[in-house]
Amino acid sequence: MSTESIALGRLTTAPATSLVERLHEWVTTVDHKRLGILYILYALLFLLIGGVEATIMRIQLIRPLNNFVSPEVFNRMFTMHGTTMIFFVIMPVMFGFANYLIPLMIGARDMAFPRVNAFSFWLMAFGGLLLYFSFIGGDGLYGAGNAPDVGWFAYAPLTSQTFSRGHSTDFWTLSLLVSGFGSIGTAINIIATVLCMRCKGMTLGKMPLLAWLNLTMAGLVILAVSPLTAAQLMLVVDRYLGGHFFDTQAGGSAVMWMHFFWVFGHPEVYVLVIPAFAFASEIIPVFSRKAIFGYPVMVAATVCIGFISMSVWAHHMFTVGMSSAANTFFVLSTMAIAVPTGIKIFNWLATMWGGKIDFKVPMLFCTAFLFQFLIAGLTGIMQGAAPFDWQLTASYFVIAHFHYVIVGGILFTLFGAFYYWFPKMSGRMYNETLGKLHFWLFIIGFHLTFDFMHIPGILGMPRRIYTYEPGRGWDIWNLIITVGVFFQAAGVLVFIGNLLWSYRRGKVAGSDPWDAWTLEWSTFSPPPTYNFADIPEVRSRRPLWDLKHPEDPDWQYE
Amino acid sequence: MERYVHVSFGRAMHPALSPTNIFAPVSTPAQSIFDLSLFVLIVTGAIFVVVFSLLAYVVVKFRKRAASDEHEPPQVYGSTQVELAWTVIPTLIVVVLFLAAARVIASIQNASRPSNALEVTVIGHQFWWEYRYPSLKVVTANELHIPVNDPAHPAPTFLTLLSADTDHSFWVPRLAGKTDLIPNHPNSMWVDPHQTGLYLGQCAQYCGTQHALMLLRVYVDSRQDFERWTQEQSRPAHIGATVSEGKRIFEGTACVNCHTIAGTPATGTFGPDLTHLMSRQTIAAGASKNTLGNLIAWIYNPAVIKPGCKMPSMGLSTQQAAEVAEYLATLR
């Protein structure tokens, strides 16, 4: 069956009834909405797995000299947790939302390259499976250990044959290589879609901010994932073809791996956080009932962050012995990024200023995001001051800092996005009470865990240790941190329960439950395969505002 | 010697919270970092108070009051003046913070090496530390001894950092920030502790299975104590006559392939030098106290104390392990 006939079939006939047929439709789909949902469900599955790995680590660290897991298992847990959360949770879920939302928001019927889209998704999906297959097939050599245990940035020469026997490192390398090609495919697709598929009247300056921010993100993916892919290939050459790129025992350079990794790794942070900014930039205006403040500045600040983020990578390497001139340069570039980031925070605040803020669950999550992202930014400035970083880096302070970014910043807006677009994707409203319960459980857990995590870092506790001695002043903080994890886990279970329950029993949402302004709310919930019966035409950034307020349309002011 | 003179604008926090508290410095690099960090904390704290107050005000003041209120608020699209203000002010703050950080980077990294500085080579191994004092002909492991710095006659200690295998990081928070030990990439750092005592730390760069128990112990001795220690360390091993059976087992098994005991056939270099083992308070890179019982347990099966460590169990009986331990216990 060709893809066209599936699409036409969806148009004209009732949905397929048998499970096999439905499964077949999902597996062979090239519809951006279905692929978006596949990405999202896949990421949720891995979120649970990564969460379990984090919980195992936190139980091990709940008290000094605990024996919950062996050092080998603990080391695998932090490697798998980091790799999973970055590459198989946040990236896919962001691609999922981008896939689902961008065509709807720019008034298109699909992404520019639907088949590339499906191909990219399946590459990423199989990349994730490959990573987890290491638990079964990773040994390769008796007693070599299964899953990767080299840390998520896999510093050389720990990854060389000498120190990593068996195949665990190969599974890590190949899974990132495979999913990396998927990411690049999706990035190309997003760029082509945003640049070529906009509906009539939607100039670049009238695009929803979400489209702008995802365009920036996609550009960063191409620039950042390519060096990672190159580095993974070099590592494969080192391990199997006798190369010596990173083989320090044969004159290779461990520092070169660090440069390759972080020239990917830091832009990657912005690959993850810019889509989170995109959610906040859509949700905050709607629930404040005001247009986004300073749209052109928001766009400029985002693009500026994109550019600067390419020049800050070595702030992950302040302790590897760079010259004082290099360290000084990276202090400047790192701190410079605070300016456009600050501009964004101020613009969100100004959007809320003078509004009538309705604290529904999506807005609660976005408000918490503003608060937490502020703190994450400020602890980032502390570490940007290189000498302070000589103390803080590789300690629990840095763990607290980047979880503040990834959980407090990204995951919070992501939860907001789930609640905000769930009615559009499923056609049903979520349960507001359960949503609030999720919010409060999660925010209490988050602050118990990650506020207190700064303290053992200041008291000298390094990251990636499976145990610690009593008498270092770390015990009580680790206990509190672990207690917070259980609150977060409870919150996530309430969230999943809410989604499942609401999908079956939720109130029917209608096309525009939030009285919102962007194009996705002008079509049915869930949208039909073809998205729009007629391709819309827009005159401003808020086409639905213009429709609803013909007496005072936006295009008079833009 | 201007670089040893600094004006501290904050008193160090009491170390009681933790022996590895970064805010309880006792050495110039740690002190300069501490001073900078106070400045950064004050600036970021002020930013936090301002922005948080704005957020709290907005949340309280502009929340929707009545559920029935369907009237849209006035729409504001932006303001060039306001945008300019919150671009320029943060830029100025960034410049100030950058200059403050740059000054401390230069003062620590570009400090000149005085001719009377003590040179120590630190070599990171999976999962222990080797210390070599080239000018003093001393080789030891896991417990670093350095002299206290007398402000009247400054004599800092310069560490050359090397690695025998994977990446490691030397981090004793009360003495200095961390610096990595990277194979094929020699690094250096310096400390000038102004207070005697024992300072703890540990490896801060993940280096393999037993990264967690690669602990650091730095003994800052008075001048006299340090001189006495170096004299004792540069002597060959003192071996008692009563332990010939333990010595025979030690020299008859693979122990000698990895360990050195000066003046005996044991000349291995993969493991710690044991010539003056009993001058150390701990074994297994700080993982265990150096007692006879722990030595026996360690020799019998090291993985019980430190799972994943590179020292194998040699398959000795408990009796043989005890004899080897008794022999080692004579190495003062």
Side-chain angles (χ1 to χ4, degrees):
Chain A
M1 210 189 319
S2 77
T3 48
E4 286 82 5
S5 67
I6 292 178
L8 286 172
R10 290 277 298 154
L11 247 174
T12 52
T13 60
T17 43
S18 94
L19 181 68
V20 176
E21 271 181 85
R22 270 189 289 167
L23 211 58
H24 180 263
E25 265 189 24
W26 280 90
V27 170
T28 58
T29 189
V30 293
D31 175 15
H32 73 99
K33 296 181 290 300
R34 290 195 160 194
L35 285 167
I37 288 171
L38 282 174
Y39 265 120
I40 290 168
L41 293 178
Y42 167 85
L44 279 180
L45 174 69
F46 276 94
L47 176 72
L48 295 180
I49 296 173
V52 168
E53 287 157 353
T55 311
I56 290 172
M57 283 189 277
R58 284 318 316 173
I59 295 175
Q60 166 66 15
L61 292 173
I62 194 167
R63 61 189 174 89
L65 303 177
N66 201 2
N67 271 321
F68 180 65
V69 289
S70 68
E72 289 87 352
V73 170
F74 186 89
N75 296 344
R76 282 176 207 139
M77 287 302 114
F78 68 66
T79 306
M80 295 296 274
H81 170 75
T83 308
T84 304
M85 289 301 198
I86 299 287
F87 294 99
F88 300 108
V89 177
I90 310 276
M91 277 183 98
V93 81
M94 291 310 182
F95 287 162
F97 274 97
N99 252 306
Y100 194 99
L101 294 172
I102 289 174
L104 284 168
M105 292 179 95
I106 63 172
R109 291 214 154 115
D110 205 321
M111 299 287 279
F113 309 118
R115 283 158 189 268
V116 171
N117 202 8
F119 181 63
S120 300
F121 167 73
W122 290 106
L123 276 182
M124 183 173 273
F126 283 111
L129 291 183
L130 196 57
L131 181 68
Y132 275 85
F133 187 73
S134 64
F135 276 110
I136 303 166
D139 281 48
L141 197 63
Y142 176 73
N146 47 33
D149 60 352
V150 289
W152 86 276
F153 42 79
Y155 270 4
L158 213 51
T159 49
S160 69
Q161 285 282 15
T162 318
F163 300 106
S164 175
R165 303 177 305 130
H167 292 318
S168 60
T169 297
D170 304 320
F171 277 97
W172 181 84
T173 301
L174 293 176
S175 82
L176 295 199
L177 203 62
V178 169
S179 67
F181 282 114
S183 305
I184 291 172
T186 299
I188 291 172
N189 212 345
I190 290 174
I191 293 173
T193 306
V194 171
L195 292 184
C196 308
M197 309 282 285
R198 297 189 309 277
C199 66
K200 203 170 170 207
M202 188 177 281
T203 57
L204 283 177
K206 291 194 189 340
M207 280 200 303
L209 273 180
L210 186 135
W212 254 116
L213 269 65
N214 276 291
L215 176 66
T216 314
M217 176 272 272
L220 277 180
V221 167
I222 292 180
L223 292 174
V225 174
S226 309
L228 176 71
T229 304
Q232 303 289 10
L233 281 173
M234 285 187 262
L235 185 55
V236 173
V237 169
D238 267 14
R239 284 176 63 86
Y240 289 101
L241 300 175
H244 303 303
F245 294 107
F246 312 119
D247 180 0
T248 48
Q249 291 178 327
S253 168
V255 177
M256 191 169 74
W257 171 271
M258 298 175 188
H259 281 295
F260 265 102
F261 190 88
W262 290 118
V263 94
F264 150 79
H266 203 84
E268 172 70 8
V269 176
Y270 289 92
V271 166
L272 305 179
V273 84
I274 286 177
F277 292 165
F279 299 146
S281 303
E282 295 301 327
I283 294 170
I284 289 175
V286 169
F287 288 90
S288 307
R289 309 306 307 159
K290 278 182 67 210
I292 189 83
F293 190 89
Y295 174 99
V297 182
M298 285 298 250
V299 171
T302 307
V303 176
C304 184
I305 288 175
F307 276 108
I308 302 177
S309 77
M310 297 301 302
S311 66
V312 301
W313 78 91
H315 69 212
H316 295 265
M317 300 164 56
F318 281 143
T319 61
V320 308
M322 293 188 297
S323 71
S324 58
N327 281 335
T328 307
F329 169 79
F330 284 104
V331 170
L332 183 61
S333 62
T334 301
M335 292 206 170
I337 219 163
V339 175
T341 314
I343 291 174
K344 294 188 83 76
I345 290 184
F346 287 123
N347 275 295
W348 286 317
L349 282 175
T351 305
M352 293 163 77
W353 190 280
K356 286 181 184 168
I357 307 169
D358 189 0
F359 284 105
K360 293 252 167 43
V361 179
M363 189 61 187
L364 281 178
F365 275 105
C366 285
T367 310
F369 151 78
L370 284 179
F371 171 65
Q372 285 143 199
F373 195 69
L374 167 67
I375 296 175
L378 295 175
T379 54
I381 288 178
M382 294 176 201
Q383 289 166 106
F388 202 1
D389 188 67
W390 293 336
Q391 291 282 21
L392 296 177
T393 193
S395 80
Y396 261 82
F397 191 93
V398 85
I399 309 286
H401 160 73
F402 72 69
H403 281 88
Y404 240 92
V405 175
I406 291 176
V407 181
I410 298 170
L411 193 57
F412 268 74
T413 53
L414 202 49
F415 282 138
F418 265 104
Y419 287 108
Y420 182 65
W421 280 291
F422 180 79
K424 179 54 58 184
M425 294 181 180
S426 69
R428 290 175 185 271
M429 294 303 288
Y430 62 86
N431 181 306
E432 188 74 21
T433 314
L434 284 179
K436 290 212 159 94
L437 178 64
H438 166 209
F439 173 76
W440 288 111
L441 279 173
F442 203 78
I443 201 166
I444 291 169
F446 170 80
H447 285 282
L448 279 178
T449 298
F450 297 111
D451 292 9
F452 290 100
M453 199 179 269
H454 291 90
I455 300 171
I458 288 168
L459 300 182
M461 180 170 173
R463 68 192 292 192
R464 296 177 166 180
I465 55 172
Y466 75 95
T467 196
Y468 53 96
E469 297 180 307
R472 301 288 287 269
W474 304 340
D475 314 11
I476 180 70
W477 312 115
N478 277 289
L479 176 65
I480 298 171
I481 292 166
T482 303
V483 168
V485 170
F486 293 103
F487 280 87
Q488 292 181 66
V492 171
L493 291 180
V494 170
F495 163 67
I496 304 264
N498 193 357
L499 292 192
L500 292 176
W501 185 86
S502 305
Y503 181 67
R504 299 228 164 266
R505 302 278 163 86
K507 216 166 69 208
V508 173
S511 62
D512 184 15
W514 307 122
D515 190 9
W517 304 311
T518 37
L519 285 177
E520 78 271 30
W521 305 105
S522 68
T523 184
F524 303 105
S525 304
T529 317
Y530 50 88
N531 290 353
F532 303 97
D534 297 304
I535 294 294
E537 190 178 338
V538 303
R539 298 183 71 183
S540 79
R541 288 165 203 147
R542 295 194 297 171
L544 269 60
W545 170 277
D546 296 348
L547 272 181
K548 293 167 186 172
H549 301 270
E551 77 291 351
D552 183 29
D554 265 5
W555 49 263
Q556 290 184 332
Y557 307 100
E558 281 172 10
Chain B
M1 297 306 286
E2 195 210 43
R3 67 194 174 77
Y4 293 110
V5 182
H6 61 265
V7 182
S8 165
F9 60 84
R11 276 182 66 80
M13 197 190 280
H14 197 265
L17 276 174
S18 166
T20 45
N21 185 352
I22 66 169
F23 290 153
V26 292
S27 161
T28 303
Q31 181 69 47
S32 328
I33 293 174
F34 175 61
D35 295 345
L36 173 70
S37 63
L38 279 184
F39 178 65
V40 174
L41 282 168
I42 290 167
V43 173
T44 50
I47 297 172
F48 175 77
V49 169
V50 170
V51 182
F52 175 71
S53 312
L54 279 172
L55 177 63
Y57 178 78
V58 164
V59 165
V60 174
K61 169 87 180 173
F62 298 112
R63 63 187 311 159
K64 186 176 170 183
R65 302 281 162 189
S68 57
D69 183 4
E70 293 299 333
H71 204 68
E72 301 280 17
Q75 300 296 304
V76 181
Y77 299 91
S79 152
T80 313
Q81 291 91 328
V82 178
E83 299 281 1
L84 214 60
W86 63 50
T87 308
V88 172
I89 295 170
T91 306
L92 294 177
I93 296 174
V94 159
V95 169
V96 170
L97 286 172
F98 161 68
L99 291 175
R103 185 171 154 273
V104 178
I105 292 174
S107 77
I108 295 176
Q109 273 198 280
N110 301 347
S112 58
R113 188 179 294 217
S115 57
N116 64 343
L118 174 67
E119 303 274 346
V120 184
T121 303
V122 182
I123 306 166
H125 295 258
Q126 283 183 323
F127 304 97
W128 61 282
W129 306 91
E130 177 178 355
Y131 300 115
R132 292 177 171 268
Y133 299 68
S135 56
L136 303 172
K137 305 264 183 291
V138 168
V139 179
T140 184
N142 294 325
E143 294 182 0
L144 176 65
H145 284 255
I146 54 173
V148 72
N149 190 55
D150 174 6
H153 308 282
T157 302
F158 274 73
L159 307 175
T160 301
L161 305 172
L162 309 173
S163 168
D165 36 51
T166 61
D167 302 340
H168 305 276
S169 192
F170 188 93
W171 189 28
V172 182
R174 297 189 64 195
L175 297 183
K178 57 183 80 64
T179 308
D180 295 355
L181 299 84
I182 301 169
N184 269 354
H185 185 90
N187 278 335
S188 72
M189 62 183 281
W190 61 276
V191 294
D192 62 343
H194 46 71
Q195 203 175 300
T196 57
L198 166 63
Y199 299 101
L200 301 180
Q202 65 192 88
C203 177
Q205 182 63 267
Y206 176 63
C207 57
T209 311
Q210 253 312 339
H211 165 58
L213 294 181
M214 185 166 166
L215 306 176
L216 276 160
R217 298 170 73 84
V218 178
Y219 292 80
V220 175
D221 299 333
S222 66
R223 277 274 156 203
Q224 299 85 332
D225 286 351
F226 182 72
E227 262 153 41
R228 193 177 317 126
W229 181 82
T230 49
Q231 272 170 16
E232 283 165 10
Q233 294 290 312
S234 47
R235 284 200 206 105
H238 164 84
I239 295 159
T242 56
V243 289
S244 54
E245 182 57 17
K247 186 166 186 288
R248 194 190 60 77
I249 297 168
F250 186 88
E251 287 168 7
T253 58
C255 305
V256 292
N257 291 351
C258 295
H259 294 287
T260 292
I261 298 175
T264 77
T267 54
T269 54
F270 288 111
D273 188 301
L274 301 177
T275 310
H276 303 281
L277 177 66
M278 297 319 286
S279 69
R280 306 207 275 266
Q281 293 183 330
T282 60
I283 56 171
S288 196
K289 280 212 174 70
N290 189 2
T291 63
L292 189 63
N294 286 344
L295 267 178
I296 297 171
W298 174 252
I299 294 162
Y300 183 67
N301 186 5
V304 170
I305 292 175
K306 210 168 156 178
C309 75
K310 296 289 174 188
M311 175 163 152
S313 166
M314 299 309 298
L316 302 178
S317 67
T318 40
Q319 173 64 27
Q320 289 170 316
E323 279 164 348
V324 171
E326 271 163 35
Y327 162 53
L328 296 181
T330 64
L331 302 172
R332 294 187 182 282

